[in-house]
Amino acid sequence: MNHLDAGQRDALAALQAVVHGADEDVAISVLDSVGWDVQRAVDLLFEQPAMQRFEIDDGPPPRRPPSLYQLVARPLCALFAVPLHILSNIFRFIFGLLRIPVPQFRFVSLSFYTQRPRRGFGGPDRWVRELEEETGAVSISTGRTTAVDPAAAGPSTLTARSRLPEDTKVLPDFTLGSYDQALRTCEHEARIGCIILVSEEHDNVPEFKRSTLTNPEFVRLLYDNDVVVWGGDVRDQEAYSAAEKLQATTYPFVAFVALQPRRNPSSSSSSSRPSSNPSPALTVLSRHQGSPSGPTSASTLSAHLTTQLFPRVTPFLTRIQAQNAARERDRILRSEQDAAFHATAVRDRARIESKMAAEREAAERARVQEADAERQRQHQLALERLKQTRLSWRRFIRRALTSSSSAGGLRIAIRLPAGGRTIHTFPPTQSLTSLYAFVDAQLISSSLSPSEDPTTSPAGDAWDSVNLEACLEKQLSSAPEWWGFQLVSAYPRKEIPWKPGTRLADVDVLKGGSQLVVEMTGSVKESARGNGDDGYETESDEE
C-alpha cells in the first residue's frame, strides 16, 4: 500500500468495506483495471460468478457415491434412449456425407447414463487432428513445422503452412500435452488457461466446433492474449479425467483458469493483513457449458473475456510474470557469475599448478646440478689423492731404483720429453714395471730434491726389487691412467706397452740394449727436464 496515494487508499478501503474484507491484492488489481472507479469494481465483482480454487491433482478422479436415480432410473432411461441415439447417428452420418448441416434433434442431447472413456489411445493429438479434418481449419500460428512430441506441452503444430489464404478457417493453438501439463504451463508461466471439453454424444458439439472454435474474433482474442488452450473428447481417458476434476455436467464445456492470490479466511476487516504472503494458486475463473448459441457462443465468450476476465486477471498475472522474469534474470546472473568464478578458479588452479611444476623443475635442476658438482668435487679429490699417491710412489722409486746401476745388464738409453737423455743398466730379470718406474722417476719436477725422497714405500713394504714391483703392480689399475706416458724404440719405431710380469730379457726390442723415447699420453704431463749434474751417467759423459 505504500505506493498508493490518498485517493487510491480511500477507494481500496471503500471496496473492501463493500465486499467484506476482500484480499488486498485482488482488490488493487480490480480497481487498477477499472481506473480506480469503486462502482465499476463492485459491478465487476458481483456480476462475475464465484471463482473456485483447485490444486493440480495427478491422482484418479474422485468417486461420488451413487444415488437411487443412478442405480435404477438412469439405466432404464438409457435403455429407451439407445434407439434414438442410433437413429441420430445414422442421420448425422448421411448429412455429413452430403455436406448438409446437421439439424438439431433435441432429444439426442438426453444422456441418462454416466459417460465413460471409450478410447484408450490418441489423446489431444488425435482429437486436434480430427478437429482439423472435420472443420477444415488450421492452427492460427502458421509457419510452424517440424515433428510433434505428444509428451510435451506446447502449441499445436499439426498443420504446417508458411502462408495461408485469407479465407482459411483457423483454430486456437491447442496444447498437445496432457491436461496436467497444460495446467503447469499456466502456473509456471503465469498465463490464462482455456479448457475445452466436448462429447460426440451431444448434438451441440458439431455446431460448437464450426461456429465457436473457428470464429476468427474469438481465436484471435485467445492468440493475442497468449492463452493456453487445451481440449479433448471425453471419450479419451485424459479428457474424461479433466471433466471429472472440473465437474463438467454437459457439453460443450469451456473453463478458464489462472493464478490468483490465496484468500485469507481469517481476514474479517480491511485493516487485517495476513502475516505472510502465500504463493498464488490456480483458480477456476469461470465455467461455460451448453448450447453454442448461448453460453458457449463465440460472442458470449469473447465479451466475457474482454469485459470481465482479462481486466480482472491480467494485472495480477503481469506482476507475476515480472517477478518470474526478475527471478530468471537473477538466476542467469548467478549462473554467469558461477561460471565466471569456476573459470577463474580453473585458471588460478592451472597457474598455481604451472608455478608449482616450474618450482619442482627448478628444484630438480638445482638438485641435479648440485649432484653433478658434488661428483665433480669428489672426482677432483680422487684425482688429487691419486696424484699425491702417485707422486709419493715416484719419489720413493727415484730413491730406490736410480741410486745404483747393475753391471752386465741391459744398457738402455732413454730420451726424455724435455730433450734430456739418461742411461741406466737394468738386470735382465727385472720386469717392464721397473723400466717404467725408472722413467717415471726421471719425470719428477726438479724443484723436488732427491734428498727429500722417502726411504719407505707409501704401502710400508720393504723395498727390494721384487717387493717393489709387486707393490707397484697392486697400485696400477691401468697403464695410461697411472703412467701417463709410453715407451717406444727410437729406430725402428716400435711401441713397448707396459704389461705386468713381463721380464726385460723377454722383450725383443730390449735385447742387447736399446734407445727408447718417452711419449706423453696420459693426464700426467709434467715436464721432465734432464739435468746434467743430477749424478746419473749419460752418453755425453762417456764421450
Side-chain angles (χ1 to χ4, degrees):
M1 282 185 62
N2 295 332
H3 63 282
L4 302 179
D5 56 26
Q8 293 175 342
R9 291 194 185 94
D10 294 340
L12 177 61
L15 180 61
Q16 288 182 323
V18 172
V19 297
H20 304 291
D23 185 88
E24 185 177 290
D25 293 334
V26 177
I28 292 175
S29 300
V30 174
L31 286 171
D32 184 63
S33 65
V34 296
W36 295 91
D37 187 339
V38 178
Q39 184 60 40
R40 291 178 59 192
V42 171
D43 295 341
L44 182 62
L45 288 175
F46 282 100
E47 289 178 3
Q48 181 67 9
M51 296 183 294
Q52 179 180 356
R53 183 171 285 101
F54 67 95
E55 301 293 339
I56 296 178
D57 184 12
D58 294 329
R63 303 179 65 90
R64 289 174 286 185
S67 63
L68 180 62
Y69 170 76
Q70 292 175 328
L71 294 175
V72 179
R74 176 172 286 183
L76 294 177
C77 294
L79 180 63
F80 287 108
V82 168
L84 300 179
H85 284 293
I86 296 175
L87 184 61
S88 173
N89 291 333
I90 293 175
F91 275 106
R92 286 170 55 192
F93 177 74
I94 295 174
F95 287 141
L97 292 178
L98 299 177
R99 301 288 183 177
I100 300 175
V102 180
Q104 297 292 330
F105 299 102
R106 299 299 177 184
F107 63 89
V108 183
S109 63
L110 299 175
S111 179
F112 299 104
Y113 56 91
T114 303
Q115 195 163 7
R116 297 291 181 183
R118 299 178 182 177
R119 304 186 298 183
F121 56 91
D125 186 3
R126 172 180 179 144
W127 183 75
V128 173
R129 290 183 185 275
E130 293 177 349
L131 180 63
E132 289 185 345
E133 295 173 358
E134 182 177 349
T135 60
V138 296
S139 172
I140 187 174
S141 58
T142 58
R144 298 181 180 177
T145 58
T146 66
V148 177
D149 184 4
S156 171
T157 58
L158 297 176
T159 303
R161 295 171 175 84
S162 59
R163 180 175 297 179
L164 298 174
E166 295 181 357
D167 58 346
T168 301
K169 296 180 180 180
V170 292
L171 291 170
D173 272 338
F174 285 98
T175 296
L176 300 182
S178 66
Y179 169 69
D180 288 340
Q181 287 175 337
L183 294 183
R184 289 192 178 92
T185 301
C186 298
E187 183 177 18
H188 295 161
E189 300 180 8
R191 296 163 60 186
I192 299 174
C194 177
I195 310 301
I196 299 174
L197 299 175
V198 298
S199 172
E200 295 300 329
E201 302 295 337
H202 292 73
D203 288 335
N204 290 328
V205 170
E207 180 63 24
F208 172 77
K209 292 179 180 179
R210 288 193 302 269
S211 62
T212 301
L213 295 185
T214 60
N215 182 270
E217 180 184 355
F218 177 66
V219 173
R220 175 60 62 179
L221 191 63
L222 296 177
Y223 181 76
D224 291 343
N225 290 273
D226 200 19
V227 176
V228 178
V229 185
W230 186 89
D233 193 328
V234 294
R235 294 180 299 171
D236 297 325
Q237 181 63 44
E238 190 71 30
Y240 176 78
S241 176
E244 288 291 313
K245 294 176 182 178
L246 294 174
Q247 300 178 5
T249 58
T250 187
Y251 304 96
F253 175 87
V254 180
F256 295 97
V257 299
L259 286 175
Q260 288 292 282
R262 294 182 184 272
R263 299 189 180 276
N264 186 15
S266 61
S267 299
S268 57
S269 64
S270 60
S271 61
S272 63
R273 290 183 58 86
S275 59
S276 61
N277 187 19
S279 60
L282 277 177
T283 304
V284 178
L285 303 176
S286 62
R287 290 186 178 89
H288 310 267
Q289 51 190 348
S291 173
S293 60
T296 59
S297 65
S299 58
T300 302
L301 294 177
S302 299
H304 169 72
L305 291 174
T306 55
T307 61
Q308 296 184 12
L309 193 141
F310 287 156
R312 185 181 60 180
V313 177
T314 302
F316 178 75
L317 295 182
T318 302
R319 269 201 317 274
I320 297 297
Q321 291 172 355
Q323 295 173 1
N324 293 341
R327 283 194 293 269
E328 181 65 16
R329 287 194 299 269
D330 293 341
R331 186 193 65 79
I332 294 175
L333 179 60
R334 286 194 300 270
S335 176
E336 292 176 350
Q337 291 175 346
D338 293 342
F341 176 78
H342 178 69
T344 303
V346 170
R347 289 195 298 269
D348 291 344
R349 183 167 58 252
R351 184 169 59 253
I352 292 173
E353 291 177 353
S354 177
K355 183 177 180 180
M356 293 176 61
E359 291 177 352
R360 287 193 298 268
E361 292 178 359
E364 180 65 18
R365 286 195 300 269
R367 187 190 64 80
V368 172
Q369 292 175 359
E370 184 178 356
D372 292 342
E374 180 64 19
R375 283 195 295 270
Q376 291 291 338
R377 190 178 66 84
Q378 294 295 333
H379 182 66
Q380 292 296 330
L381 291 176
L383 291 179
E384 289 294 330
R385 288 194 297 268
L386 178 62
K387 184 177 180 181
Q388 293 298 327
T389 302
R390 184 172 178 275
L391 181 59
S392 299
W393 276 100
R394 291 170 64 195
R395 296 187 66 180
F396 170 71
I397 291 171
R398 184 172 63 174
R399 176 181 291 273
L401 296 180
T402 62
S403 58
S404 62
S405 177
S406 300
L410 297 176
R411 190 170 180 270
I412 298 176
I414 302 170
R415 181 178 293 278
L416 302 176
R421 297 178 63 192
T422 182
I423 299 174
H424 191 77
T425 302
F426 295 90
T429 57
Q430 286 187 343
S431 65
L432 285 176
T433 302
S434 299
L435 175 60
Y436 267 81
F438 176 79
V439 174
D440 195 20
Q442 306 305 311
L443 300 178
I444 299 175
S445 175
S446 59
S447 61
L448 299 177
S449 175
S451 60
E452 297 177 357
D453 291 344
T455 58
T456 59
S457 69
D461 298 328
W463 60 276
D464 56 42
S465 61
V466 178
N467 293 336
L468 181 60
E469 292 179 356
C471 291
L472 279 175
E473 291 180 357
K474 289 180 181 180
Q475 300 295 324
L476 301 177
S477 58
S478 63
E481 292 183 2
W482 178 266
W483 303 116
F485 64 89
Q486 68 177 357
L487 299 177
V488 296
S489 60
Y491 184 84
R493 188 181 185 281
K494 184 176 182 180
E495 296 181 358
I496 306 174
W498 173 82
K499 293 180 181 179
T502 302
R503 295 192 313 163
L504 296 176
D506 297 334
V507 179
D508 295 337
V509 178
L510 300 179
K511 291 180 179 180
S514 178
Q515 293 189 11
L516 304 179
V517 179
V518 179
E519 294 181 354
M520 306 302 295
T521 59
S523 59
V524 182
K525 294 184 179 180
E526 300 175 277
S527 63
R529 295 176 300 173
N531 199 340
D533 55 355
D534 55 2
Y536 298 111
E537 217 176 67
T538 63
E539 291 181 346
S540 60
D541 295 336
E542 293 180 354
E543 295 175 356

